[in-house]
């Protein structure tokens, strides 16, 4: 248990004793939260717990705060001061921070990992792009965020599976086959009318050309229906392989690739509709089957089986979510684009109709991404004249910069992606700034070895109390916050908090590096500072690992 967790526990115990003593009425008190004050004179931590408890406790906030302060008697706490209308500012004893640094060094590369999730089973489904063409930058934001969220949840002690839902059934795949067919015929000199809903990307032409390179005009002798069926499979396999390659290049992998087709072929869609019919959640109208989604909070009822007997997309989605919960996940998280916002209520209604808890589905909505270069909006690829693909973005700015820039802002906000900044090797580029801190620490250890000096193999005997400069103290305090930051970011589904934390820690390190000499000072102080930067290097590396960004040794 780190010092922040110990302080939260101590406040809770003090509040419980105060209630037992009859100082204020027992009630359902709020969760205790701690913040680091913006100014050092206000202590190491602060809480507004007394103010939040006033209503439930039916007491004055300052009276509650005083009762808590009077009952705090922790050996690591120097003092607790009541401020304003009921804030409590906590000041830790100076030796506590050295104990925290020693604990960080003892844990090593697992520092920051917590058991807050208590092994709760969570499935995170993200990207799930139609396999009809290359991934674009919008998919890139979902891929970076989703994979970082998976890493973050794992670091916080959750049992997580990452899943990609392959939309390999329905009109979009039929349109893919028709598009390839049209290009195939065109390349063989035939005049055809391109499908109205066809895909116009250069990749479709490339697919048709590869078919000709392999098989020539052999498909011309087929009926169009047979040719479309053949091209559907060829194109689907090719597009899915390309999609997987793009994601792997972006550092994104999945535990499960779930095919929509299997829901239809296995009878799962039919079985789901039958279950809903049996529990009275489906009715027939105008020859179609309708879900009573208004009963469960939707704004209108929804068709699940059309009057021609063909299931809607919603029918497959209901069957898919039924399958998810049947696999035993406690919670499922879907990461969708902004254009899917209106779809949330109907899926939650369907989950409730299947007698699952709709609150166990979380839908996180990604806002749009806009690319800027030279201060101007970039809409089209210079190479193809179409939308910029994820592969082109990675080629332009690199994987690490692309991932970091996608993650560094909350997904609730639209992202303006500055291509020039992402490519720059300057302190203004946040990912460069963080990676440079890690590389700079690696350089320090190379210099130590080159100078013939020794690096302590065991920091337990190092005199950490020699670290008295404010820049050193600030670094230790910031690192001590990392486990709590991981826990909070995981609970809020907010990887951008880790990006911000890493940037702030890197900033404190650069300040320390410019103010405190490491090599060539008193040997005991040198050992202590090497211990300090070892902990910083480990913490930065763990934060970057969560974000899926490399921690380079050289730059």
């Amino acid at each position: 248990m780190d010092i922040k967790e110990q302080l939260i526990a101590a406040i809770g115990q003090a509040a419980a004793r105060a209630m037992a003593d009859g100082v204020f009425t027992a009630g359902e008190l709020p969760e205790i939260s701690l913040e680091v004050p913006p100014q050092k004179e206000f202590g190491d931590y602060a809480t507004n717990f007394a103010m939040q408890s006033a209503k439930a406790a039916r007491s004055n906030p300052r009276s509650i705060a005083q009762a808590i302060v009077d009952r705090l008697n922790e050996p690591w706490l120097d003092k607790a001061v009541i401020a304003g209308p009921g804030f409590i500012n906590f000041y830790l004893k100076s030796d506590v921070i050295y104990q925290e640094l020693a604990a960080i060094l003892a844990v090593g590369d697992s520092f920051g990992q917590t058991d807050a999730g208590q092994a709760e089973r969570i499935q995170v489904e993200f990207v799930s792009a139609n396999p009809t063409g290359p991934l674009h930058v919008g998919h890139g934001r979902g891929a970076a965020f989703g994979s970082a969220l998976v890493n973050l949840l794992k670091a916080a002690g959750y049992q997580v599976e990452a899943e990609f839902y392959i939309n390999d059934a329905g009109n979009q795949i039929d349109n893919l086959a028709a598009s390839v067919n049209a290009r195939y015929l065109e390349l063989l000199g035939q005049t055809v009318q391109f499908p109205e809903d066809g895909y116009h990307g250069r990749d479709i032409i490339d697919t048709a050309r590869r078919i000709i390179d392999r098989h020539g005009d052999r498909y011309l002798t087929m009926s169009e229906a047979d040719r479309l069926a053949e091209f559907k499979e060829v194109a689907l396999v090719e597009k899915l392989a390309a999609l997987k390659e793009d994601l792997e290049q972006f550092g994104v992998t999945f535990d499960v690739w779930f095919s929509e087709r299997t829901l239809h072929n296995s009878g799962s869609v039919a079985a789901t509709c039958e279950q809903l019919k049996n529990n009275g959640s489906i009715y027939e109208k105008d020859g179609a089957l309708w879900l009573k989604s208004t009963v469960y909070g939707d704004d209108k009822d929804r068709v699940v089986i059309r009057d021609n007997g063909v299931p809607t997309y919603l029918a497959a989605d209901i069957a898919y979510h039924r399958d998810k919960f049947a696999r035993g996940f406690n919670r499922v998280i879907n990461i969708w684009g902004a254009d899917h916002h209106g779809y949330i209520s109907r899926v939650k209604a369907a989950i409730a109709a299947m007698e699952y808890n709709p609150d166990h589905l979380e839908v996180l909505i990604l806002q749009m991404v806009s690319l800027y270069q030279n201060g101007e909006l970039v809409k089209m690829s210079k190479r193809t004249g179409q939308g910029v693909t994820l592969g082109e973005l990675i080629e332009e700015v690199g994987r690490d910069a692309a991932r970091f820039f996608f993650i560094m802002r909350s997904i609730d906000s639209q992202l303006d992606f500055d291509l020039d900044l992402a490519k720059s090797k300057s302190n203004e580029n946040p990912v460069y700034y963080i990676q440079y801190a890690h590389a700079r620490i690696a350089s320090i250890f190379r210099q130590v070895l080159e100078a013939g000096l020794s690096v302590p193999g065991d920091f337990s005997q190092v005199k950490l109390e020699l670290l008295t400069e404010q820049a050193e103290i600030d670094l230790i305090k910031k690192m001590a916050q990392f486990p709590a930051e991981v826990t909070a970011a995981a609970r809020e589904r907010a990887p951008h908090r880790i990006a911000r934390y890493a940037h702030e820690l890197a900033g404190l390190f650069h300040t320390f590096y410019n103010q405190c000499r490491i090599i060539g000072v008193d040997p005991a102080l040198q050992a202590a500072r090497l211990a300090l930067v070892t902990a910083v290097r480990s913490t930065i590396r763990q934060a970057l690992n969560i974000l899926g960004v490399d921690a380079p040794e050289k730059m």
Side-chain angles (χ1 to χ4, degrees):
M1 185 183 293
D2 63 31
I3 194 64
K4 187 174 183 180
E5 292 173 323
Q6 292 181 56
L7 181 53
I8 288 173
I11 294 168
Q13 292 163 7
R17 286 194 291 270
M19 289 189 289
D21 294 342
V23 177
F24 53 84
T25 307
E28 188 174 343
L29 300 179
E31 184 178 351
I32 301 168
S33 63
L34 292 176
E35 298 293 338
V36 177
Q39 294 171 277
K40 296 180 178 65
E41 58 265 31
F42 295 136
D44 298 294
Y45 292 103
T47 185
N48 62 352
F49 173 72
M51 297 159 64
Q52 291 183 315
S53 303
K55 185 175 180 180
R58 299 178 183 177
S59 185
N60 180 282
R62 285 189 65 92
S63 299
I64 296 172
Q66 189 63 58
I68 291 171
V69 169
D70 290 344
R71 288 162 177 78
L72 286 172
N73 186 25
E74 307 299 329
W76 38 262
L77 184 63
D78 184 29
K79 62 181 177 179
V81 176
I82 301 169
F87 290 102
I88 308 176
N89 296 332
F90 301 95
Y91 298 78
L92 305 179
K93 290 183 178 177
S94 58
D95 60 342
V96 171
I97 64 168
Y98 303 121
Q99 295 170 19
E100 290 187 309
L101 177 56
I104 294 169
L105 290 164
V107 172
D109 284 344
S110 62
F111 177 61
Q113 297 179 13
T114 78
D115 60 0
Q118 298 182 340
E120 179 185 6
R121 286 197 69 204
I122 295 181
Q123 184 218 53
V124 182
E125 182 223 323
F126 58 105
V127 183
S128 297
N130 291 338
T132 55
L135 298 174
H136 56 64
V137 292
H139 295 131
R141 188 179 196 186
F145 173 83
S147 58
L149 179 60
V150 169
N151 296 339
L152 175 59
L153 290 170
K154 287 179 179 178
Y158 296 87
Q159 188 179 345
V160 191
E161 285 187 21
E163 183 154 310
F164 188 112
Y165 181 56
I166 308 169
N167 294 276
D168 52 4
N171 289 336
Q172 74 276 6
I173 301 302
D174 292 337
N175 290 334
L176 172 64
S179 303
V180 172
N181 180 57
R183 296 306 188 197
Y184 173 81
L185 295 174
E186 285 177 349
L187 289 170
L188 290 175
Q190 298 200 16
T191 302
V192 294
Q193 184 173 355
F194 198 80
E196 184 178 348
D197 295 323
Y199 298 103
H200 295 267
R202 182 181 296 274
D203 62 296
I204 300 296
I205 299 173
D206 293 340
T207 297
R209 185 170 284 117
R210 278 190 288 271
I211 292 173
I212 294 172
D213 290 342
R214 293 189 199 109
H215 305 292
D217 62 359
R218 59 171 283 194
Y219 292 108
L220 289 180
T221 60
M222 283 186 175
S223 69
E224 184 167 76
D226 288 343
R227 191 167 59 244
L228 286 170
E230 190 78 17
F231 287 175
K232 180 187 290 187
E233 298 309 312
V234 171
L236 185 59
V237 168
E238 184 178 286
K239 299 309 173 193
L240 191 57
L243 189 150
K244 289 182 177 181
E245 184 178 345
D246 280 350
L247 288 170
E248 287 174 6
Q249 183 185 6
F250 201 40
V252 179
T253 58
F254 292 89
D255 301 301
V256 176
W257 292 79
F258 191 102
S259 166
E260 180 186 353
R261 284 184 179 185
T262 63
L263 295 170
H264 297 277
N265 297 340
S266 67
S268 179
V269 173
T272 301
C273 291
E274 191 64 25
Q275 176 186 336
L276 292 170
K277 192 184 298 182
N278 290 339
N279 69 18
S281 297
I282 278 182
Y283 64 91
E284 186 175 345
K285 177 185 174 184
D286 300 329
L289 296 183
W290 297 69
L291 177 69
K292 296 179 181 178
S293 45
T294 50
V295 174
Y296 304 100
D298 197 5
D299 60 344
K300 62 181 180 180
D301 291 346
R302 307 288 177 174
V303 176
V304 289
I305 304 292
R306 300 181 182 91
D307 56 7
N308 61 2
V310 176
T312 62
Y313 287 121
L314 179 60
D317 282 337
I318 298 171
Y320 179 42
H321 285 83
R322 175 177 177 254
D323 184 272
K324 288 186 181 190
F325 286 111
R327 282 184 264 162
F329 294 109
N330 303 103
R331 189 170 298 277
V332 297
I333 299 174
N334 295 347
I335 301 171
W336 291 348
D339 56 337
H340 285 74
H341 193 278
Y343 202 65
I344 298 174
S345 58
R346 69 192 71 172
V347 175
K348 281 185 171 284
I351 289 171
M354 288 187 294
E355 300 176 351
Y356 292 111
N357 186 343
D359 291 336
H360 290 174
L361 167 67
E362 296 179 31
V363 180
L364 307 179
I365 294 294
L366 291 157
Q367 294 302 321
M368 303 295 289
V369 178
S370 297
L371 298 180
Y372 285 86
Q373 192 163 42
N374 300 321
E376 296 182 357
L377 182 65
V378 178
K379 289 186 178 181
M380 298 298 176
S381 163
K382 295 176 184 176
R383 187 180 307 163
T384 66
Q386 298 175 341
V388 180
T389 67
L390 176 59
E392 288 172 325
L393 179 67
I394 296 171
E395 187 179 323
E396 181 78 9
V397 305
R399 188 187 81 174
D400 289 342
R403 285 187 64 97
F404 191 92
F405 273 61
F406 279 137
I407 297 167
M408 70 179 182
R409 299 279 183 265
S410 168
I411 60 169
D412 295 334
S413 59
Q414 181 167 326
L415 177 63
D416 291 339
F417 193 118
D418 187 331
L419 293 168
D420 298 311
L421 180 61
K423 289 190 294 184
S424 71
K425 292 177 171 54
S426 69
N427 289 343
E428 284 69 40
N429 180 348
V431 66
Y432 179 87
Y433 188 66
I434 298 166
Q435 289 181 315
Y436 185 56
H438 187 273
R440 181 174 256 180
I441 295 172
S443 173
I444 291 169
F445 284 99
R446 287 195 296 272
Q447 292 174 45
V448 168
L449 294 176
E450 289 167 3
L453 303 173
S454 62
V455 177
D458 179 6
F459 290 112
S460 62
Q461 303 303 313
V462 172
K463 296 180 180 179
L464 301 178
E465 62 273 15
L466 295 176
L467 302 171
T468 58
E469 296 292 335
Q470 189 60 53
E472 297 166 331
I473 302 300
D474 290 343
L475 267 177
I476 299 171
K477 287 182 176 180
K478 189 66 180 180
M479 285 188 290
Q481 297 168 20
F482 186 49
E485 191 66 35
V486 168
T487 297
R491 286 176 175 161
E492 295 175 17
R493 319 301 193 219
H496 68 276
R497 289 188 56 155
I498 302 301
R500 181 178 63 203
Y501 172 89
H503 191 259
E504 292 171 352
L505 179 61
L508 291 174
F509 168 74
H510 289 306
T511 298
F512 157 80
Y513 182 85
N514 291 328
Q515 293 180 359
C516 302
R517 187 177 176 184
I518 299 172
I519 301 173
V521 296
D522 175 78
L525 178 59
Q526 176 177 286
R529 287 179 172 167
L530 288 173
L532 176 62
V533 297
T534 295
V536 174
R537 177 174 61 178
S538 178
T539 307
I540 289 177
R541 184 165 58 242
Q542 294 313 308
L544 290 177
N545 284 345
I546 288 173
L547 302 177
V549 173
D550 287 340
E553 298 288 314
K554 293 182 179 180
M555 291 183 72

